Amino acid sequence: EAGVAQSPRYKIIEKRQSVAFWCNPISGHATLYWYQQILGQGPKLLIQFQNNGVVDDSQLPKDRFSAERLKGVDSTLKIQPAKLEDSAVYLCASRGTSGEGTQYFGPGTRLLVL
Amino acid sequence: AQSVTQLDSHVSVSEGTPVLLRCNYSSSYSPSLFWYVQHPNKGLQLLLKYTSAATLVKGINGFEAEFKKSETSFHLTKPSAHMSDAAEYFCVVYYTGGFKTIFGAGTRLFVKA
């Protein structure tokens, strides 16, 4: 089966610009996650979707970050305006309906804000 | 509060020697436990998982981990390190009651020739 797809793989922008990342989860996976991984740190959960509803967005900086999963399949994460500290890898993961919680990760999008 | 502690931020071993990466968790419930590996500039790959079946779990690339409920530990081991094992390893706990996933801070494994 196809894995989690993300695009773009790399993005360089200047501060105050906007950027969007796209994720397509494994087919049939109802749960989708966006993580931010700053260099040298573990992934930090930004937002978790269950189908097209938000389960947890407590660590999403809502003044500049937004995410949607309108049809309950693919998802977009947006940053507007970007700050230097947003430079990180943005990881998308999906989870199926079994109760044991295995997440499958995409390759990530590496963002550099100059 | 629910937490995951990886006891070593860095571990260095020589090729061919055993690997031990330590992980402790706090839990009021029986969690699912995972180890993921992340090679440089790569995404996270699942190494192995514990989901309330056998307490000794075997994963890919010769890794295994033992769930010890009395010690709330889930340490990752490998009998003989290979250069290709050099990477970042994350212990992850999934609390089924709250549908919450918590990542450890990671352990960087260095393998010396």
Side-chain angles (χ1 to χ4, degrees), chain A residues 4-112:
Chain A
V4 177
Q6 289 187 249
S7 67
R9 292 296 311 278
Y10 305 92
K11 190 74 177 179
I12 301 175
I13 62 173
E14 294 189 351
K15 61 183 179 183
R16 291 189 289 274
Q17 286 187 324
S18 62
V19 64
F21 312 129
W22 175 81
C23 172
N24 194 26
I26 292 173
S27 178
H29 280 194
T31 309
L32 184 147
Y33 306 81
W34 283 103
Y35 292 89
Q36 179 193 59
Q37 186 177 22
I38 292 173
L39 186 65
Q41 300 180 18
K44 181 183 88 171
L45 179 68
L46 291 176
I47 190 167
Q48 176 184 343
F49 290 96
Q50 182 72 19
N51 296 308
N52 60 351
V54 175
V55 173
D56 184 353
D57 63 356
S58 57
Q59 297 192 89
L60 186 74
K62 298 180 185 64
D63 57 333
R64 298 185 300 105
F65 286 65
S66 65
E68 59 184 18
R69 193 184 184 200
L70 293 176
K71 296 182 179 179
V73 182
D74 58 345
S75 175
T76 303
L77 176 70
K78 296 179 181 177
I79 308 175
Q80 182 179 11
K83 292 185 175 181
L84 298 178
E85 58 261 37
D86 298 332
S87 295
V89 176
Y90 291 84
L91 295 166
C92 179
S94 69
R95 176 170 65 83
T97 53
S98 69
E100 40 91 305
T102 303
Q103 294 185 30
Y104 298 90
F105 285 82
T109 296
R110 186 174 297 275
L111 173 67
L112 179 60

Side-chain angles (χ1 to χ4, degrees), chain B residues 30-105:
Chain B
S30 294
S32 295
L33 296 152
F34 307 83
W35 277 99
Y36 285 85
V37 60
Q38 187 176 34
H39 288 93
N41 302 314
K42 301 287 187 183
L44 278 80
Q45 180 185 17
L46 180 67
L47 268 181
L48 51 78
K49 61 184 176 183
Y50 166 78
T51 58
S52 77
T55 56
L56 183 61
V57 181
K58 294 187 184 299
I60 61 172
N61 300 334
F63 284 94
E64 61 182 38
E66 186 172 7
F67 173 67
K68 291 187 177 180
K69 187 173 182 178
S70 61
E71 298 176 10
T72 59
S73 69
F74 191 57
H75 301 335
L76 181 70
T77 60
K78 183 173 181 177
S80 177
H82 190 272
M83 295 297 288
S84 61
D85 295 328
E88 186 91 20
Y89 292 79
F90 293 98
C91 180
V92 181
V93 181
Y94 176 71
Y95 295 97
T96 54
F99 304 103
K100 192 169 182 67
T101 300
I102 298 179
F103 275 77

